[in-house]
Amino acid sequence: MTMSPERTMHGELLTGTFRDRESAEKAYNSLVNRGYTKDEINVMMSDDTRKRHFSQTTVTSDLGTKAAAGGLTGATVGGTVGAIAGVLAVAGTLAIPGLGIVLAGPLAAGLAGLGAGAAAGGVLGALIGLGIPEERAKLYTTDIEHGGIVVGVKPRSIDDAALVEKEWTGYRASNILR
């Protein structure tokens, strides 16, 4: 079955900001449960936020151990490594010294490809360099600087985007944009 053009997405990034680990994990897991892979899901946060929320992870099961070692996603929060912690522990995560930002997902790969020039412009310059509109990049920068965890994905359809937005609203997301 072919989707009509008005029901498909054309490269739009859907994002939301989460204020705590649990909400961000739920949002991330909702995307994984919809079939998105870690290579399609973006996670952005400050290094301070990463340290505060994701460095004290307790591994208590075989699944948690594998997630920490191999970056498996989908582990539950509360006793095992969470999905985001697993992603942050593997290659594909970009920590930018001097900017204090940590990125995982396709934006991390894009920023790494832009090199030091984009990083020299700070978080805002780096996000704009990735093609994110300036007003939106300013909002993300502020959210990240205030401890927010920004999760983003390119939805596969308008219907999928609407369902993700609804789920994220239930997880207390702010600044849900597409």
Side-chain angles (χ1 to χ4, degrees):
M1 180 171 144
T2 306
M3 294 190 113
S4 63
E6 61 274 5
R7 302 304 305 166
T8 61
M9 299 289 287
H10 297 285
E12 293 181 24
L13 186 65
L14 172 67
T15 56
T17 301
F18 301 87
R19 298 290 170 206
D20 58 73
R21 176 185 176 151
E22 181 181 358
S23 297
E25 289 280 358
K26 286 179 179 178
Y28 188 95
N29 286 331
S30 75
L31 293 172
V32 171
N33 292 335
R34 298 189 76 67
Y36 292 96
T37 68
K38 66 177 178 57
D39 296 325
E40 296 175 292
I41 304 169
N42 296 292
V43 179
M44 298 177 275
M45 69 186 77
S46 70
D47 193 44
D48 287 341
T49 298
R50 180 191 59 79
K51 288 175 186 172
R52 186 172 56 253
H53 292 296
F54 297 98
S55 65
Q56 301 300 322
T57 302
T58 303
V59 177
T60 61
S61 71
D62 289 340
L63 178 60
T65 302
K66 289 177 184 173
L72 295 175
T73 59
T76 60
V77 177
T80 64
V81 172
I84 294 175
V87 169
L88 294 175
V90 299
T93 300
L94 181 63
I96 307 170
L99 289 187
I101 187 171
V102 178
L103 296 135
L107 289 180
L111 187 57
L114 291 174
V123 174
L124 179 63
L127 295 175
I128 291 170
L130 289 168
I132 295 172
E134 185 174 353
E135 287 306 309
R136 202 167 172 180
K138 285 179 182 177
L139 181 64
Y140 297 160
T141 300
T142 300
D143 286 349
I144 290 167
E145 288 172 351
H146 289 102
I149 302 165
V150 178
V151 177
V153 69
K154 289 185 180 180
R156 296 180 181 123
S157 69
I158 292 171
D159 293 338
D160 199 37
L163 290 171
V164 170
E165 284 183 57
K166 184 177 179 181
E167 286 177 345
W168 286 5
T169 299
Y171 303 144
R172 302 181 317 270
S174 61
N175 300 323
I176 301 174
L177 300 170
R178 64 170 142 145

